[in-house]
Amino acid sequence: MTRIIADISVSLDGFVTGPDAGQDNGLGVGGEALHIWAFSDDPDDRRVLSEATARSGAVVLGRRLFDIVDGPNGWDDETGYGAREVGEPAFVVVTSSPPESVRLTDLDWTFVTTGLADAVTAARERAEAASSRCGRDLDVVLMGGGATVGSALDAGLVDELRLHLAPVVLGAGTRLFTGGAPHTLVRRSVTPTPNTTHLAYDVLRR
């Protein structure tokens, strides 16, 4: 069964970027510390990343994050979705208007202008089609940014929340949770490593 997974790295004080995040500094000041785990050689970090990438049938992201990953300092042949795993699922971007051009033309991009719920629906269809082709269940992954993940949670679109809790206090930046609707979570797993604590929760639908 295809599940909707919100997957994001976060600081101890709840930020998914450092301050002053922008096109040329997507993670903000100090934000690189959030993703050290994704490039580590720790076996548990590698396993978590590999398993998540392998199960990704489609990925949803917001326009701001798309502009960063498709920008001149974004993904390349060695570093892309899944960090060093460089997975290539279908990508669905929530945006008010599609870009005039795409740099990463070898990836499968779909631009949805009718809202997050429609983007998740489109991604589910792509993931289910990919599941049928490969003969195993694949997921939809909401990779961010923080506003996209938070909005999906508030809209009741998420089945599972995966947080990679980095041992860093950023003090400012982009918050993951901004005082939206309450959520009841049930813990699925906790995997501590020297670089992060991988947390997985089922999200109980309201």
Side-chain angles (χ1 to χ4, degrees):
M1 180 181 70
T2 294
R3 288 167 58 83
I4 311 300
I5 312 295
D7 189 310
I8 197 163
S9 296
V10 62
S11 68
L12 290 174
D13 51 345
F15 294 100
V16 297
T17 76
D20 300 322
Q23 180 72 39
D24 296 326
N25 187 19
L27 292 174
V29 177
E32 298 84 0
L34 298 173
H35 296 272
I36 288 174
W37 72 271
F39 298 92
S40 96
D41 291 321
D42 179 89
D44 284 327
D45 286 334
R46 300 299 302 161
R47 176 182 57 79
V48 168
L49 184 66
S50 179
E51 289 177 356
T53 304
R55 280 190 58 91
S56 299
V59 174
V60 177
L61 62 158
R63 176 59 185 269
R64 182 177 299 178
L65 182 55
F66 165 79
D67 286 341
I68 291 170
V69 302
D70 193 57
N73 299 315
W75 290 346
D76 55 31
D77 291 339
E78 295 183 359
T79 303
Y81 178 72
R84 289 183 297 181
E85 297 292 324
V86 194
E88 294 187 358
F91 294 93
V92 178
V93 180
V94 188
T95 181
S96 59
S97 60
E100 294 183 1
S101 63
V102 174
R103 178 178 66 86
L104 299 170
T105 56
D106 54 327
L107 298 181
D108 180 357
W109 297 102
T110 299
F111 298 91
V112 174
T113 60
T114 51
L116 180 56
D118 286 346
V120 170
T121 296
R124 184 190 293 276
E125 291 172 353
R126 303 300 296 274
E128 289 175 345
S131 298
S132 295
R133 290 194 299 271
C134 71
R136 58 188 177 88
D137 289 336
L138 299 175
D139 298 321
V140 171
V141 177
L142 304 174
M143 68 171 284
T148 299
V149 170
S151 296
L153 281 167
D154 288 344
L157 299 173
V158 177
D159 296 311
E160 183 179 337
L161 174 63
R162 296 178 186 166
L163 300 178
H164 311 284
L165 188 62
V168 61
V169 175
L170 292 174
T174 305
R175 285 199 176 276
L176 176 57
F177 302 114
T178 57
H183 306 286
T184 301
L185 309 177
V186 177
R187 191 180 70 195
R188 290 173 59 91
S189 65
V190 179
T191 305
T193 77
N195 306 294
T196 193
T197 301
H198 303 285
L199 303 165
Y201 300 92
D202 285 328
V203 180
L204 301 186
R205 300 294 182 95
R206 297 189 300 274

